Amino acid sequence: MTTWRRHPVLAETRVLIGAGILLSIVAVAALAPIIAPHDPNHQDLLRMLVPPFWKDGADADFPLGTDGLGRCVLSRLIYGARVAVIVGTVVPIGTALLGGIIALVAGYCGGWVDWSVSRTVDIWMSFPPVVLSLVLMVGLSPGLRNVILATILVDWTRFCRITRGAILGLMKLDYVSSARIAGATHVQVMLKDLLPGIFPIIITLFSVEIGIAVIVESVLSFVGVSVEPHIPTWGVMIADGLVTVFAEPWGLVLPMMAIILTVLGANMLGDGLRLSLDPRLASRPSLEV
Amino acid sequence: MFSDAGTAPLNARNGVVPLRIRRVLRPIVATGYRVATVAIQLLIVSIVVFGILRILPADPLAMMLPPNATNEDAERMREAFGLNRSIPEQYAIWLGHTLQGDLGSSIQSRLPVGQLILTALPMTLELVFCGLVLGVFAGFCFGLITFTWRGTAVEKAAEVVASLAQSIPEFLWGILLILTFGLALHWLPFIGPIDAKMLVPSRTGFLLIDTLLAGRWDAFFSRLTHLTLPSIAIMMIKAPLIMRLLRSSLVETYTEDYIDSARLRGVGEMRILFRHALRNAALPTVTLIGVQAAHTFGGTLLIEAIYSLPGLGNLMIGAIRTHDLPLIQGITLTYCAVVLLLNMLVDLTYLWLNPRLRAT
Amino acid sequence: MSSLVQRSQVTADQVIATETQPLLAAVNLTVESGGTKVLRDISFTLPHGRILGLIGESGAGKSMIGRVIANQLPRGFAVTAGSLPFEGRDLLALPHHEHRELLGRRIAFVPQEPTGALNPAKTIGQHFAEHLKRLDVPKAERRNVALAALADMLMPAPADVYDKYPFQLSGGMCQRVLIALAFVSKPDLVIADEPTASLDVTTQVHIIGLLRRLQDKYRTGVLFITHQLRLAAHLCDEVAVLYAGDIVEYGPAGPLFRRPRHPYSRALDTANPRFSGAWQPLSSPPGHMPGLNEFRNLPGCRFAPRCASAIDACVAEPPALRVVADGTVMRCIRDDAVPAAESVAGVLQPVGANAQSIGLMQVQNVSMTFHSGGLFKPKAETHAVKEISFSISAGEFVGVVGESGSGKSTLGRMIMGLERPTAGQISLDGVPIGHTAAEWRRRIGIVQLVFQDPRSALNPRRDVLNLVTQPLQSTGHLSRREMRDRAEVLLQDTGLPKDVVSRLPHQMSGGQRQRINIARALCAAPRLLIADEIASGLDVSVQAQILNLLLRLKREHDIALLMISHDLAVVRYLCSRVLVMCQGEVVESGDTETIFANPQHPYTRELIAAVPPEDLTRNWTQLGAVG
């Protein structure tokens, strides 16, 4: 094994593949204006539903064909990656901060603080996430910022519940009391003893959340309450593609593949990180007779 | 001499009420407690929904009015919906009506919200039920298979398939299944709840039951084929979760001493798996179904839209596109109520499966 | 007539009857894992109706022998040589189904953790029903057979227990159920693997007594696996002492216990605190039993690195078994070899505080009451600690003894300030102490607590330097250099080498971890140390090292100690004063020697009676079998 893969995280193939997929999507999104052959919103009504290059009747100008309004599918896919990248970055950060901090405080303080946080999470989780995000979007009105806000408001509970469970597990260990006896303040205990302990879980949840954010955005786009109409997204492409599926299925299949690839990348990264960061697996005790 | 004679102090209180009566009372009290909890939770949920739709920036009135409305129209509307009052007042009025079973009328269709929901709900429940049954069944089968062949290529293959299945959200599974089994292979129908030519009198609203009640086997069969693809879409998401959890809790259960102990009494491996390990290992799985209830119901929303099933999800999407506030409110509450009730059922099942909780 | 004499007469008859066909024998049994010999050349014989003890610390391989008999070696382990004839049929050569036929019928097991060994989802009755069905007992009779078996275990109300789930029973009751299950088929061989390790001392006597009673009644052969030499000496006919996969000494129990010959058996003896006779410093060999991964570096005698008499020949190849006295064999090439011993300089018997010394800490009428119950449950009050008053002087070692649930740990946590007493007052240096931030700082400057389990008390992500200097980090602004210096002093104080400073907790042995745990508490330079069962998870030789360390610290730093323990011998070794706790109350307190020699309270008497005495002629194992 080469030296740079010595670290347990980098030795995990899933981490490398997952991170590779996600980074490529980020690169595509960043370079969109350079690599996209057309304006994603330009309609060419003379060339509608052109099939992709490997089928008969393809047009060299549109490598992946055009949709029902004659827009370039490839360009829309490339620009759609931008929304996915923004949502897939900001939402996990937001949910991790909101859910993580609330969980840390609730788990450490216990008592009524913990009780009220748990009850709030219970109530929140009785909403189907799709329904809650739709209702929030109705209240907030469409727009990229509101999509991000709504997704964070829906998904912080997942973070909070799992992180809180992990913290309660750590609180059972004596090393938290030990740190207090050694004179650490509450904040020091939370930052130095609890946070490092739940870090693997946070990292794992974070990467899984990337996929979830992309899915939620596509669901909202599909229903038609996501970003402003002129911004191309994969979800909108799927909704449009479904209408013309009988004439040209590739306009539907390609954005689906983009979403699936993103989610797969995020899940692989998450799985790989979970396995390589889990202290129970990493610090395997020596065999005992 | 016997310092530990007798049992743990747990049962020291048995003297208060005779044991037999306590045994009968206990499940009733437990159920009552949970019903009360659900009621309180629903009340809070209603406040949250009301709050989101009234306090957040979007003006409900502007959303409800047709684009060509005059100021007079707006004023009339405001009064008709009580929007000129304060928000707590509005809530109180709405709650009062709701408790009497009146959820208001849809702005779009003018039909009572309650009636619309009741017509649509059975469709959704039928779908969730079939999806869950398939998912649990497949999850348990694969969980047992991967556990039995753990550490072999079988487990690895199942794991890869599960990862892939989980990376595709329900609605994309719905579309993929349509593309393959519907459009490409023509194996199964994918539009509507049942063959459009078949008319079955509605008695329960559940088409599977109605077709049987009417004695229409052809319609029942048609319903089943129409249900297959959307149910599989739900299964594809549920089964990997259940498979993984069941396998890992089986692995954990097998590290328990009582498994070794049974083996040392000469109990056979099959009996150990099915009589000793499975029941204990299934407990976290049952909890998972409860925790996932909200996800399962949310998942049907887009599936219904994709398969043109006239259920709650389709109703909801229509309401959102037309900003039909009373309908949105009613449907959201219904979703939550169903989720909470399912949670409660799971809770009670758990109680029944786990003697440790039952006895205390 | 004493029981020993009775027993030896019985066994004399037995020997004649079974000389030809032993119940179970191990012949040159070797188990390997990855090329390492985990068990080396194990041979023993267990005649019908006798008890053979397998003695050793954790890692000696004693449980592995049970697993070989059960045909359940962990993955990666395999028997590579030897045979295991059970009444002449080699268990290792039996087809799987024939072997399984024997389990539960002719060979039965009594497990280590009784509460975990019963399926939590099944009642006791269901456990019996399943087992009796397999034993072909007709359905109609099953209940009666089960009740009779439970009654055989001297249960007060078998029918009640029959309908209960395991979690509704105490550990001792669960173990009785498991013994009843094991004996219900009247097996020829019972393997009991540390059956009392997780139970309270007073329960232990009863379990041992019952085991002995049933063994006697059915003439069962018992393989008794334990780490307690003295317990084995009372119960067993013969014992085999294991060290790192070798049987180092094997022979009749009494003589071996009275005069151990192998240096390791001697070390076990001298490291074990005594409960009678004059106080004398414990001596134990340095280090600990090697782990599996160290075996390959020890081709010869595996005890040699810890042996004072080791010569080059010891290290070269494994010593052969040789007969040293009638019936006793040992695996040592030297006569009268002695184990190496850590220095006991500075280890002096603790004496009571002198009358003039100032009270360091006072506890006045302290109580801890938990309230439970609620809307649908009856309200209940649990008194974890009830109106306790006592004080500790500077440099005084005080012991708190009691069984699990006696409230002794809660008492320690309250003094540390981790829990607030519901009534009463705690004073340090004569000044009452409360729970404000300032008082907390004052408290942790005077009192420190060493937790029982260092695995849980040491943050697995901090290295040793970081751990032992933890008390300095929150306040001081010390440089890394100064921290390192301080850490080195602390490591030296606790007898650890300097080079562990950059290790993580999981890279150290249990004894080393416990030393780190103590070193961290010492870093705050406390005047009172509360030690909650800090030696109970450790092997005897390591425990002795820790106990001596505490005595040395007392001399060097004039530290006071509150030793919370269930082990009376440990408390007798360390403490000049003792409190006996039972169900939250102090039932007796005073000078250690006086109380242990002349206990007044019945509970104290019961505790003392539960300790296996040095004197083997005392009929200890029959204590519990008396209803």
Side-chain angles (χ1 to χ4, degrees), chain C residues 142-161:
Chain C
R142 281 177 207 159
R143 189 185 155 89
N144 286 336
V145 172
L147 290 181
L150 289 172
D152 225 9
M153 293 305 292
L154 304 178
M155 295 227 187
D160 268 6
V161 171

Side-chain angles (χ1 to χ4, degrees), chain B residues 1-4 6-8 11 13 29 33 257-258 260-261 263-266 268 271 275-276 280 355-356 359, chain C residues 70 72 100 103-104 113 116-117 119-120 122 130 134 164-165 167-169 172 176 202-203 206 376 378 606:
Chain B
M1 211 58 228
F2 273 101
S3 64
D4 74 325
T7 53
N11 299 299
R13 305 191 306 253
V29 170
Y33 183 77
D257 287 344
Y258 62 83
D260 257 342
S261 190
R263 207 175 269 149
L264 292 177
R265 282 198 301 275
R271 201 178 161 89
R275 293 298 180 86
H276 286 268
N280 289 298
R356 190 181 293 255
Chain C
Q72 276 171 26
R100 192 161 70 80
L103 297 183
E113 286 283 342
N119 190 336
K122 287 176 184 281
E130 184 189 54
R134 179 162 177 268
K164 289 226 152 63
Y165 285 96
F167 64 90
Q168 293 171 308
L169 301 174
R176 281 171 214 212
T202 50
T203 314
H206 299 304
F376 296 99
E606 198 185 339

Side-chain angles (χ1 to χ4, degrees), chain B residues 37-167:
Chain B
T37 316
V38 167
I40 295 169
Q41 281 173 320
L42 261 183
L43 192 73
I44 300 173
V45 163
S46 73
I47 296 174
V48 172
V49 176
F50 207 86
I52 291 174
L53 294 175
R54 296 294 146 88
I55 297 170
L56 288 178
D59 178 14
L61 199 61
M63 294 193 290
M64 282 189 274
L65 285 171
N68 57 349
T70 60
N71 272 351
E72 239 174 58
D73 288 338
E75 209 44 51
R76 220 178 310 126
M77 192 80 136
R78 200 181 288 279
E79 267 188 34
F81 284 90
L83 292 175
N84 47 357
R85 297 166 193 261
S86 73
I87 289 169
E89 257 183 286
Q90 289 180 36
Y91 176 73
I93 293 167
W94 175 82
L95 185 66
H97 287 255
T98 304
L99 288 178
Q100 289 162 28
D102 175 15
L103 283 164
S105 300
S106 156
I107 295 170
Q108 201 65 24
S109 63
R110 308 281 163 192
L111 289 168
V113 168
Q115 186 194 324
L116 285 170
I117 290 176
L118 278 183
T119 325
L121 188 58
M123 184 63 61
T124 304
L125 289 179
E126 214 167 59
L127 177 58
V128 166
F129 179 78
C130 293
L132 264 186
V133 167
L134 273 184
V136 170
F137 179 73
F140 263 76
C141 288
F142 279 95
L144 285 172
I145 289 171
T146 50
F147 175 73
T148 314
W149 281 283
R150 60 189 179 279
T152 66
V154 175
E155 187 193 15
K156 280 206 179 114
E159 192 48 48
V160 169
V161 173
S163 304
L164 203 68
Q166 258 193 318
S167 296

Side-chain angles (χ1 to χ4, degrees), chain C residues 199-212:
Chain C
L199 303 175
D200 275 328
V201 275
T202 50
T203 314
Q204 165 171 301
V205 202
H206 299 304
I207 296 298
I208 297 293
L210 288 167
L211 198 62
R212 176 105 187 93

Side-chain angles (χ1 to χ4, degrees), chain A:
Chain A
M1 196 181 287
T2 43
T3 38
W4 63 274
R5 292 189 65 179
R6 288 267 166 76
H7 194 278
V9 170
L10 295 176
E12 177 68 49
T13 315
R14 267 173 281 195
V15 173
L16 295 179
I17 299 178
I21 292 174
L22 295 183
L23 287 177
S24 325
I25 294 169
V26 170
V28 167
L31 300 174
I34 302 168
I35 54 174
H38 296 271
D39 176 346
N41 289 319
H42 177 75
Q43 302 181 0
D44 189 340
L45 295 177
L46 293 174
R47 284 186 283 184
M48 292 188 300
L49 296 172
V50 174
F53 67 87
W54 59 86
K55 286 177 74 177
D56 291 339
D59 187 331
D61 223 15
F62 300 102
L64 296 181
T66 58
D67 66 3
L69 293 171
R71 292 174 294 192
C72 170
V73 169
L74 177 61
S75 304
R76 288 179 71 75
L77 273 179
I78 291 172
Y79 273 91
R82 299 194 128 188
V83 172
V85 167
I86 295 172
V87 170
T89 318
V90 183
V91 167
I93 294 175
T95 45
L97 283 177
L98 187 65
I101 291 173
I102 292 177
L104 196 57
V105 173
Y108 185 72
C109 296
W112 65 269
V113 178
D114 188 40
W115 187 89
S116 39
V117 166
S118 313
R119 293 293 85 76
T120 312
V121 170
D122 280 354
I123 296 280
W124 226 250
M125 291 198 114
S126 65
F127 285 98
V130 180
V131 174
L132 184 57
S133 51
L134 286 175
V135 171
L136 278 168
M137 285 311 292
V138 169
L140 290 166
S141 72
L144 183 56
R145 216 180 47 196
N146 289 343
V147 169
I148 291 172
L149 190 62
T151 317
I152 293 175
L153 285 176
V154 171
D155 257 6
W156 68 276
T157 48
R158 181 202 321 269
F159 241 94
C160 187
R161 202 171 55 92
I162 297 176
T163 318
R164 175 183 163 271
I167 288 176
L168 289 185
L170 291 184
M171 293 291 289
K172 283 200 198 108
L173 299 177
D174 288 330
Y175 73 69
V176 176
S177 299
S178 296
R180 281 288 294 147
I181 293 173
T185 61
H186 293 297
V187 176
Q188 279 175 328
V189 173
M190 280 196 237
L191 294 183
K192 281 191 172 173
D193 288 292
L194 288 178
L195 203 56
I198 55 167
F199 192 66
I201 292 169
I202 291 191
I203 289 286
T204 309
L205 285 173
F206 185 93
S207 43
V208 172
E209 189 67 34
I210 297 174
I212 290 172
V214 172
I215 293 175
V216 170
E217 192 285 318
S218 67
V219 167
L220 294 178
S221 289
F222 187 84
V223 179
V225 288
S226 180
V227 296
E228 295 82 352
H230 65 272
I231 302 177
T233 74
W234 295 339
V236 169
M237 290 177 77
I238 291 174
D240 293 346
L242 206 54
V243 179
T244 58
V245 66
F246 292 98
E248 177 49 66
W250 287 102
L252 171 64
V253 174
L254 289 170
M256 280 173 63
M257 280 165 62
I259 292 177
I260 293 172
L261 190 68
T262 315
V263 179
L264 198 64
N267 285 357
M268 281 177 92
L269 183 65
D271 262 1
L273 287 174
R274 182 172 55 81
L275 292 177
S276 54
L277 288 176
D278 191 337
R280 278 175 304 177
L281 298 174
S283 65
R284 201 170 281 156
S286 57
L287 274 171
E288 275 161 27
V289 183

Side-chain angles (χ1 to χ4, degrees), chain C residues 76-210:
Chain C
F77 289 76
V79 179
T80 50
S83 59
L84 196 63
F86 173 74
E87 294 191 323
R89 290 199 293 169
D90 186 3
L91 286 180
L92 300 173
L94 278 186
H96 185 71
H97 66 275
E98 280 184 43
H99 182 270
R100 192 161 70 80
E101 273 306 296
L102 292 176
L103 297 183
R105 289 181 206 270
R106 307 209 42 214
I107 304 178
F109 289 78
V110 178
Q112 189 166 5
E113 286 283 342
T115 40
L118 291 165
N119 190 336
K122 287 176 184 281
T123 62
I124 304 305
Q126 285 168 328
H127 280 90
F128 270 102
E130 184 189 54
H131 191 45
L132 292 174
K133 185 178 167 200
R134 179 162 177 268
L135 297 177
D136 304 319
V137 174
K139 195 166 185 180
E141 290 170 32
R142 281 177 207 159
R143 189 185 155 89
N144 286 336
V145 172
L147 290 181
L150 289 172
D152 225 9
M153 293 305 292
L154 304 178
M155 295 227 187
D160 268 6
V161 171
Y162 187 85
D163 289 322
K164 289 226 152 63
Y165 285 96
F167 64 90
Q168 293 171 308
L169 301 174
S170 65
M173 286 306 256
C174 285
Q175 194 59 292
R176 281 171 214 212
V177 168
L178 283 156
I179 295 176
L181 265 175
F183 278 94
V184 77
S185 60
K186 300 186 176 56
D188 300 293
L189 173 63
V190 165
I191 292 134
D193 187 354
E194 299 261 19
T196 59
S198 62
L199 303 175
D200 275 328
V201 275
T202 50
T203 314
Q204 165 171 301
V205 202
H206 299 304
I207 296 298
I208 297 293
L210 288 167

Side-chain angles (χ1 to χ4, degrees), chain B residues 237-290:
Chain B
I237 279 292
K238 294 296 150 204
L241 272 177
I242 293 171
M243 174 194 105
R244 285 178 169 175
L245 187 69
L246 183 71
R247 184 192 46 191
S248 65
S249 50
L250 272 172
V251 168
E252 203 161 300
T253 306
Y254 264 67
T255 64
E256 299 277 351
D257 287 344
Y258 62 83
I259 297 294
D260 257 342
S261 190
R263 207 175 269 149
L264 292 177
R265 282 198 301 275
V267 180
E269 286 301 321
M270 285 309 257
R271 201 178 161 89
I272 285 181
L273 177 59
F274 287 102
R275 293 298 180 86
H276 286 268
L278 195 56
R279 181 162 173 170
N280 289 298
L283 285 177
T285 320
V286 173
T287 317
L288 178 83
I289 296 169

